[in-house]
Amino acid sequence: MAVIPHEALVVVADGGQARLFRNRGNERDLMLHQFEILELVNANDDGPAGVMPDGATGYRIDEATFAKQLAERLNDGALKQQYDDVVLVADDKTLGAIRPLLHKETLDRMRGEV
């Protein structure tokens, strides 16, 4: 398991929502404090990144759109220096959708993926 520094951002996500935590403890004794829940917003105004396969269901499109929105949020936070360290916890599909959308500044702060 990756070391999770004090004040690291820990994001626990699935296809439709993400919980954001800060590590209020230290690297050995984690103490996660939840401070926000993110959910898909403006699905009709915002679409998924890239091309969706023909026949994609509304649920799959919503998952891809949420992954894009979450990546944008993480990128924005990194570029605005809102966090120094981030750990991303998500299912394989969500991680796979988010990874290619992450900015270099976000990737430089990545301390682990689960």
Side-chain angles (χ1 to χ4, degrees), residues 84-98:
D84 293 326
D85 306 287
V86 63
V87 174
L88 187 54
V89 180
D91 61 277
D92 290 341
K93 189 181 301 181
T94 301
L95 277 175
I98 292 172

Side-chain angles (χ1 to χ4, degrees), residues 55-87:
T57 65
Y59 180 74
R60 299 283 261 197
I61 292 169
D62 286 351
E63 282 184 324
T65 302
F66 179 72
K68 180 182 94 173
Q69 290 176 355
L70 179 56
E72 288 172 349
R73 172 71 182 269
L74 293 173
N75 293 338
D76 187 56
L79 293 170
K80 291 181 179 176
Q81 308 297 319
Q82 293 175 342
Y83 62 88
D84 293 326
D85 306 287
V86 63
V87 174

